[in-house]
Amino acid sequence: NDGKKNGFALDITAKLINTLPVPVIASGGAGSLEHFKDVFEKANADAALAASIFHYKEIVIPALKQYLCQQKIAIRL
């Protein structure tokens, strides 16, 4: 999913989270605020990262943090 901006690979991420005894950071595929919500709520990711959407200011980090906070997803402010 990396670079496509169609969302994180929720199925693979969830499988890793349910299998591994370590925290899992979702990576690759973020293109919207909702994609972050989905990876935390549907795949139970411990963290998520993205690059180009931040570099090109398609999403600004303060807006993402505010959105996730409004969605009742725990974040560090």
Side-chain angles (χ1 to χ4, degrees):
N1 291 18
D2 196 24
K4 296 183 181 181
K5 299 181 185 176
N6 291 327
F8 295 97
L10 300 178
D11 54 344
I12 295 169
T13 304
K15 186 177 275 190
L16 289 171
I17 288 164
N18 292 324
T19 304
L20 300 173
V22 297
V24 174
I25 301 170
S27 176
S32 73
L33 298 172
E34 291 80 14
H35 292 155
F36 287 92
K37 177 182 183 234
D38 289 345
V39 80
F40 291 121
E41 290 186 343
K42 295 179 182 178
N44 294 315
D46 296 289
L49 65 87
S52 66
I53 60 169
F54 298 133
H55 295 308
Y56 297 113
K57 296 188 178 12
E58 296 169 33
I59 295 175
V60 292
I61 293 171
L64 174 60
K65 287 184 172 190
Q66 181 180 19
Y67 171 78
L68 292 175
C69 201
Q70 290 170 343
Q71 300 304 310
K72 309 288 190 236
I73 296 171
I75 60 156
R76 286 191 293 185
L77 296 173

